[in-house]
Amino acid sequence: MIFRVLAEATMAVHFLFIGYVVLGGFVAWRWPWTIWLHLVAAGWGLCIVVFTLNCPLTYVEDWARERAGQSGLSRGFIDTYLTGVMYPERYLDEVRLLIAAVVLVSYAGLVYRWWRRTRRHDAEQVKRG
């Protein structure tokens, strides 16, 4: 029972991590200090895609499922739960490009917000003399 719960919890954390990789740059619009955490997460996500690595969470889920008497993941997490389920497998490259575009837009927005805030601060300093 405990291993099944661990497997399900790991799966949920994995989904949250992927959501953060995709949308975490927008979180940094509200809390700019989180950009460092997002850079690490996005970098890790990119390494997984480029070097076809398995995330450690995949190993944990696989291990827990096997201990619970279930079959482990026959493929990686994304291949098991997303590709072919959330979008057709033939659109994998397009989905990856869309995710990259979302991350880049979030970073561009963050830079723009930082630039605007800096400009506003500089203008206030000039007014004060």
Side-chain angles (χ1 to χ4, degrees), residues 6-21:
L6 178 61
E8 298 298 323
T10 305
M11 180 183 63
V13 169
H14 218 149
F15 274 116
L16 289 172
F17 177 78
I18 290 171
Y20 185 69
V21 166

Side-chain angles (χ1 to χ4, degrees), residues 116-129:
R116 224 176 76 189
R117 188 177 309 131
T118 302
R119 241 180 90 147
R120 192 174 333 132
H121 177 73
D122 290 347
E124 289 172 3
Q125 292 296 330
V126 168
K127 278 184 185 178
R128 290 182 190 154

Side-chain angles (χ1 to χ4, degrees), residues 69-97:
Q70 301 173 339
S71 61
L73 300 178
S74 60
R75 304 176 296 164
F77 180 86
I78 291 174
D79 293 334
T80 300
Y81 295 112
L82 299 175
T83 304
V85 177
M86 300 291 286
Y87 54 86
E89 190 169 344
R90 68 181 176 272
Y91 294 123
L92 178 60
D93 291 335
E94 289 84 352
V95 168
R96 287 177 175 171
L97 286 173

Side-chain angles (χ1 to χ4, degrees), residues 21-44:
V21 166
V22 176
L23 301 172
F26 294 108
V27 171
W29 288 20
R30 174 68 175 97
W31 297 287
W33 61 270
T34 64
I35 193 62
W36 302 110
L37 180 61
H38 188 261
L39 284 168
V40 170
W44 177 249

